[in-house]
Amino acid sequence: KMRSSSFVKAESDEIQKSDSKVNMEVCEAATVDHDYAQRPSKPSLEEQLAAAMEQIKQLELENNQLKCQEFSAQRYSSDPETLRFYTGFKSYKLFYAMYKALEPTATRMVTWAQKQRERNASAESMRDIMKHESLCCIDQFFLFLCYCRCGLFEKDLAVRFNVSVATVSRIVITWANYLYHILGALPVWPSRAQVDEHMPDCFKALYPKTRVILDCTELRCQTPSSLYCNSQMYSHYKSHTTYKGLIGITPSGAVSFVSQLYSGSISDVDITTRSGIVELLNENDDVMADKGFTISKLLSKQGATLNIPPFLTSKRSQFSKGEVEATQNIARVRIHVERAIRRVKEFHIFDSVLPLTLAGSVNQIWTVCTLLTNFRGPLF
């Protein structure tokens, strides 16, 4: 009995082993037939490293492509036509030279927002904040030029530069005041010898003593709610409330004088008196202007003379032959100041009605845009 039971047990163990062997063969056959059921093999370290390097290469390529599409000054370094459209500078070389001249002070300036928030902080701590601005210094300069040159809305610039609208507003105010002080400190009023050295032939033949050519221009602004302010700023010439400014250019076409902005109702004589340009003139200087500038008495105090086109009075209804020729000669050379003003108006921020919210910075923007026209090269 014991032998028979042990024999049965051994026989059952052998049957179990054979069954397990058959099951393993079936599994192996199933694995071969259906490889999706097989557990993936773990890649080697060399394969993982190669895959990671390939992924890094793809990410670097995408990063470079995104940088090329970023709206910045560097993007248009090889496209002078587009750069001129956005900034007014005819080449990236000139734009960059301008920035490098500003960089030593621009990177250390305290922004308008910092001055408002950090009144009790030291200057060094505020400069440290400046280093962590969302835009680099050259792109802030580029943003300000786009704002003035193209007249873009702050929301538009915020989307283009991937910053907030508040950041755009702060950058515009900061750079308007900064450039107003930097460019305003430049000695743009030339000496008598410098004017004579660059005197064009058309002036040498007819008006060789001309020192400056004057003219006024007006910028439309939002109508104020105050009736008094409205009456002061209303211009009958434009039939709108305006700011009015005086521009003076040399005979060679460079802007040599720009006044601050006044209310639109001011006369040409009053703006000439208040602007302070009369005090800059010397004896025997000639001033050329339009017929509205009846400033002979003002100029006589400085020993200067006035050249304006003759105009008719109630006692005269017709010009003489000499007056007609004088009118044509003056108009032929005085037209250059109109071309200089056109350059200023090519800053399209002045195309639309200026909002009253810009009143705190409009004078700085006007002065900066006018002086920046000198960087465009000769007028003729």
Side-chain angles (χ1 to χ4, degrees), residues 118-183:
E118 307 290 338
R119 292 182 178 179
N120 298 325
S122 64
E124 291 298 328
S125 64
M126 287 189 287
R127 291 186 185 118
D128 291 337
I129 299 174
M130 177 68 179
K131 296 177 182 178
H132 297 88
E133 291 287 340
S134 53
L135 283 180
C136 62
C137 196
I138 189 171
D139 282 336
Q140 291 184 31
F141 180 44
F142 180 62
L143 183 150
F144 175 76
L145 292 176
C146 291
Y147 175 79
C148 295
R149 182 71 180 178
C150 300
L152 300 177
F153 291 108
E154 291 181 354
K155 179 64 176 178
D156 188 353
L157 290 169
V159 173
R160 289 172 185 263
F161 287 91
N162 195 25
V163 294
S164 66
V165 176
T167 299
V168 173
S169 179
R170 289 193 293 264
I171 289 174
V172 169
I173 294 175
T174 298
W175 279 84
N177 287 276
Y178 168 70
L179 291 175
Y180 175 76
H181 288 287
I182 296 297
L183 298 180

Side-chain angles (χ1 to χ4, degrees), residues 1-172:
K1 291 181 179 178
M2 291 178 61
R3 288 180 180 177
S4 62
S5 61
S6 61
F7 178 78
V8 170
K9 184 177 181 181
E11 188 177 14
S12 63
D13 291 341
E14 186 177 352
I15 293 173
Q16 289 179 357
K17 289 181 180 179
S18 62
D19 290 342
S20 63
K21 185 176 181 180
V22 170
N23 290 334
M24 289 180 63
E25 291 177 355
V26 169
C27 289
E28 289 179 357
T31 302
V32 173
D33 293 339
H34 307 285
D35 55 355
Y36 58 82
Q38 185 179 5
R39 302 179 68 179
S41 60
K42 187 176 181 180
S44 64
L45 292 177
E46 290 78 5
E47 293 174 343
Q48 294 180 19
L49 180 60
M53 294 296 293
E54 183 65 25
Q55 186 177 10
I56 291 174
K57 188 181 297 185
Q58 290 293 333
L59 291 175
E60 288 179 347
L61 180 61
E62 292 178 6
N63 188 32
N64 292 332
Q65 291 176 349
L66 290 174
K67 284 183 178 180
C68 293
Q69 297 174 0
E70 186 181 25
F71 191 77
S72 63
Q74 182 63 34
R75 176 180 177 181
Y76 305 108
S77 59
S78 58
D79 189 356
E81 184 176 352
T82 305
L83 183 72
R84 183 176 181 178
F85 171 79
Y86 282 115
T87 66
F89 288 92
K90 61 183 180 181
S91 66
Y92 184 79
K93 182 178 180 181
L94 181 59
F95 168 82
Y96 191 71
M98 175 70 175
Y99 169 73
K100 293 302 288 185
L102 298 171
E103 187 179 29
T105 53
T107 53
R108 295 186 296 109
M109 69 177 173
V110 177
T111 67
W112 178 84
Q114 292 167 10
K115 196 65 177 177
Q116 296 295 316
R117 295 195 305 260
E118 307 290 338
R119 292 182 178 179
N120 298 325
S122 64
E124 291 298 328
S125 64
M126 287 189 287
R127 291 186 185 118
D128 291 337
I129 299 174
M130 177 68 179
K131 296 177 182 178
H132 297 88
E133 291 287 340
S134 53
L135 283 180
C136 62
C137 196
I138 189 171
D139 282 336
Q140 291 184 31
F141 180 44
F142 180 62
L143 183 150
F144 175 76
L145 292 176
C146 291
Y147 175 79
C148 295
R149 182 71 180 178
C150 300
L152 300 177
F153 291 108
E154 291 181 354
K155 179 64 176 178
D156 188 353
L157 290 169
V159 173
R160 289 172 185 263
F161 287 91
N162 195 25
V163 294
S164 66
V165 176
T167 299
V168 173
S169 179
R170 289 193 293 264
I171 289 174
V172 169

Side-chain angles (χ1 to χ4, degrees), residues 277-312:
I277 190 172
V278 177
E279 287 73 17
L280 298 176
L281 299 171
N282 298 328
E283 191 175 359
N284 297 324
D285 283 343
D286 282 356
V287 176
M288 185 172 291
D290 198 8
K291 60 180 67 177
F293 287 83
T294 55
I295 54 175
S296 298
K297 293 182 180 179
L298 291 175
L299 300 180
S300 62
K301 297 178 182 179
Q302 297 293 117
T305 56
L306 177 66
N307 286 323
I308 61 173
F311 49 89
L312 298 175

Side-chain angles (χ1 to χ4, degrees), residues 265-284:
S265 62
I266 192 171
S267 65
D268 294 341
V269 178
D270 288 339
I271 198 172
T272 305
T273 304
R274 296 186 188 183
S275 65
I277 190 172
V278 177
E279 287 73 17
L280 298 176
L281 299 171
N282 298 328
E283 191 175 359
N284 297 324

